[in-house]
Amino acid sequence: MANYAIITDLNRCTGCLACTVACKAINGVDVGNFWIKTLRVGPHPIEGGSGTYPDVEMYFLPVQCQHCSNPECVRVCPTEASHVAEDGTIQIDKDKCIGCQFCAMACPYGVRYLNQTERVVEKCTLCEQRTSQGELPQCVAQCGARARFFGDLDNGVENFEGPAHPDSPGCQYDDMTKTRVKLKDYVEAFTENDIHHLTDKGNEPKLMYLLREGRKWRE
């Protein structure tokens, strides 16, 4: 049994929206709805700075279902449509969903919505259709900045993987067999203090955000 999650290196994220668009394309998300929203946080004055540019900082924050360890959406669902899957992700059984939206109201992150055509609730599935086949979630695979990494929390976040490219450490231009890189081998060194989560409302969000010391975490 796995315990899947994603970590995003906010020092690398450029806010290009590739994750947002790739998610919509592969999952057929309706116009006006999103399974991933890329938010801009800032700019904010740097402590001790002049209060104006260039003494400011900002970053982009991709927000989606956090696939929580203690999900309130699962607890309030009257039909058990929202459930914890064997891979540790939170999924919705559309055959059981009655569109009551209790789960959407219970979610502290506002990442669920009612599909008006199907009359069922939808959200990020962490690309279960891909990960079950050993592939990366589409938002991870299509991240041009190589800021997103996917893996099993039980194996340690340092072993989360992202797509390789010719400039990846240890990957030669003629090496077409290397398709993945590990977080620990690719990004700048980090500590536990650099790993952040969205505000925990008792639901224990699992998705993580990497923001190194010297930059202040804000939501």
Side-chain angles (χ1 to χ4, degrees), residues 162-166 168-172 174-182 185:
H165 65 94
S168 300
C171 182
Q172 302 300 318
D174 59 352
D175 183 3
M176 300 304 293
T177 63
K178 187 176 178 62
T179 59
R180 304 276 181 90
V181 291
K182 292 186 182 296
D185 297 327

Side-chain angles (χ1 to χ4, degrees), residues 7-15 38-39 41 58-63 145-149 187 194 196-198 208-212 215-219:
I7 185 168
T8 304
D9 187 345
L10 301 183
N11 295 78
R12 298 186 62 86
C13 177
T14 62
T38 303
L39 310 179
V41 180
M58 62 171 283
Y59 56 85
F60 296 96
L61 183 68
V63 176
R146 300 302 190 271
R148 291 169 72 81
F149 295 79
V187 305
D194 299 324
H196 304 273
H197 299 266
L198 296 188
M208 297 160 286
Y209 300 93
L210 189 56
L211 192 67
R212 291 168 189 81
R215 303 184 71 185
K216 188 173 182 180
W217 169 254
R218 300 178 174 91
E219 289 183 41

Side-chain angles (χ1 to χ4, degrees), residues 7 16 19 29-30 37 39 44 46 55 82 88 113-114 118 123 130 158 186-187 197 199 201 204 209 216 219:
I7 185 168
C16 70
C19 58
V29 181
D30 292 339
K37 293 181 180 180
L39 310 179
H44 296 285
I46 296 175
D55 296 330
S82 289
Y113 66 90
L114 181 68
E118 298 182 25
K123 67 168 195 70
R130 290 174 56 86
E158 68 276 6
Y186 191 74
V187 305
H197 299 266
T199 300
K201 299 293 186 179
E204 302 175 32
Y209 300 93
K216 188 173 182 180
E219 289 183 41

Side-chain angles (χ1 to χ4, degrees), residues 23-204:
C23 171
K24 286 178 70 71
I26 196 171
N27 293 300
V29 181
D30 292 339
V31 174
N33 291 314
F34 299 90
W35 287 11
I36 303 175
K37 293 181 180 180
T38 303
L39 310 179
R40 189 186 75 182
V41 180
H44 296 285
I46 296 175
E47 292 184 9
S50 65
T52 59
Y53 181 83
D55 296 330
V56 295
E57 63 179 8
M58 62 171 283
Y59 56 85
F60 296 96
L61 183 68
V63 176
Q64 65 201 88
C65 174
Q66 300 294 296
H67 296 278
C68 304
S69 296
N70 186 30
E72 189 66 20
C73 56
V74 172
R75 189 171 9 259
V76 302
C77 180
T79 65
E80 299 183 351
S82 289
H83 62 280
V84 181
E86 290 187 0
D87 60 7
T89 63
I90 310 303
Q91 303 295 339
I92 301 173
D93 185 338
K94 290 188 175 182
D95 290 333
K96 292 182 179 179
C97 181
I98 58 175
C100 67
Q101 303 180 70
F102 288 172
C103 61
M105 290 182 277
C107 175
Y109 309 116
V111 294
R112 290 174 170 240
Y113 66 90
L114 181 68
N115 182 316
Q116 297 290 346
T117 301
E118 298 182 25
R119 303 304 297 175
V120 294
V121 170
E122 292 184 336
K123 67 168 195 70
C124 160
T125 64
L126 220 59
C127 281
E128 186 272 340
Q129 76 276 27
R130 290 174 56 86
T131 59
S132 62
Q133 302 297 319
E135 300 180 50
L136 295 171
Q138 190 75 350
C139 61
V140 174
Q142 296 299 320
C143 179
R146 300 302 190 271
R148 291 169 72 81
F149 295 79
F150 166 80
D152 188 339
L153 285 168
D154 294 339
N155 295 330
V157 66
E158 68 276 6
N159 291 311
F160 276 33
E161 294 181 330
H165 65 94
D167 294 327
S168 300
C171 182
Q172 302 300 318
Y173 279 92
D174 59 352
D175 183 3
M176 300 304 293
T177 63
K178 187 176 178 62
T179 59
R180 304 276 181 90
V181 291
K182 292 186 182 296
L183 180 71
K184 63 182 178 182
D185 297 327
Y186 191 74
V187 305
E188 296 177 15
F190 62 92
T191 68
E192 287 293 325
N193 291 333
D194 299 324
I195 298 177
H196 304 273
H197 299 266
L198 296 188
T199 300
D200 186 354
K201 299 293 186 179
N203 44 298
E204 302 175 32

